[in-house]
Amino acid sequence: MSNEGKKIKAHYTGTLDDGTKFDSSVDRDEPIEFTCGAGQMIAGFDNAVKDMALGEKKTVHIPAAEAYGERREDMVQKVPVDQIPNGDQLPVGQTVYMHGPGGQPFPVFVESIEDGVATFDMNHELAGKDLTFEIEIMEIAD
């Protein structure tokens, strides 16, 4: 029976191919809640839980294309520091929030500042990475 359209509560632990843990609802003791198939989760996670039963556990490997996508070089932008409010205070090696055309905030990684030019990487931090999730279904509701 498909879980598509149902509200799911699931515990998960996500790791990279080298075994590094990048996130875990288990560590927070708070399962994630989402509607299966509604686009709230990465495609590979949604597909993994679609046919799982209450209490079922499984481990899935999700390729980058079904996770946060491939890393894109066109998502790396260079901007003169003098065109950025407080540009001289940008924290190199950290993520800051910029505002898009509609005023929506979005995260960008400050890669470097050299010769008065800031390099921003707008790729998701997990873009280009295959992910493994250990998933346990805690609740299924219509």
Side-chain angles (χ1 to χ4, degrees), residues 17 25 28-29 40 43 64 67 70 77 98 101 116-117 122 132 134:
D17 283 349
S25 68
R28 290 187 300 277
D29 195 29
Q40 299 168 341
E70 297 299 337
Q77 303 287 317
M98 299 285 191
V117 177
M122 294 174 278
T132 298
E134 292 176 19

Side-chain angles (χ1 to χ4, degrees), residues 105-116:
F106 63 94
V108 297
F109 181 76
V110 182
E111 207 169 83
S112 66
I113 298 176
E114 294 174 3
D115 301 323

Side-chain angles (χ1 to χ4, degrees), residues 2-104:
S2 175
N3 290 324
E4 201 140 357
K6 295 181 180 178
K7 288 191 185 300
I8 304 287
K9 279 190 183 177
H11 265 307
Y12 67 90
T13 298
T15 56
L16 303 175
D17 283 349
D18 67 2
T20 304
K21 185 187 329 180
F22 64 84
D23 194 13
S24 173
S25 68
V26 177
D27 292 351
R28 290 187 300 277
D29 195 29
E30 189 176 323
I32 191 165
E33 188 172 343
F34 61 98
T35 301
C36 184
Q40 299 168 341
M41 303 297 290
I42 59 174
F45 196 97
D46 251 349
N47 288 335
V49 302
K50 187 168 44 178
D51 296 316
M52 288 179 71
L54 181 63
E56 184 178 349
K57 295 179 184 182
K58 78 169 159 181
T59 300
V60 295
H61 185 262
I62 300 173
E66 293 177 34
Y68 292 95
E70 297 299 337
R71 184 174 160 67
R72 294 177 30 199
E73 285 309 311
D74 65 326
M75 298 285 286
V76 177
Q77 303 287 317
K78 294 183 180 295
V79 180
V81 173
D82 62 8
Q83 293 182 13
I84 305 165
N86 302 316
D88 57 337
Q89 298 170 24
L90 285 168
V92 174
Q94 292 184 32
T95 298
V96 297
Y97 285 83
M98 299 285 191
H99 292 281
Q104 292 283 58

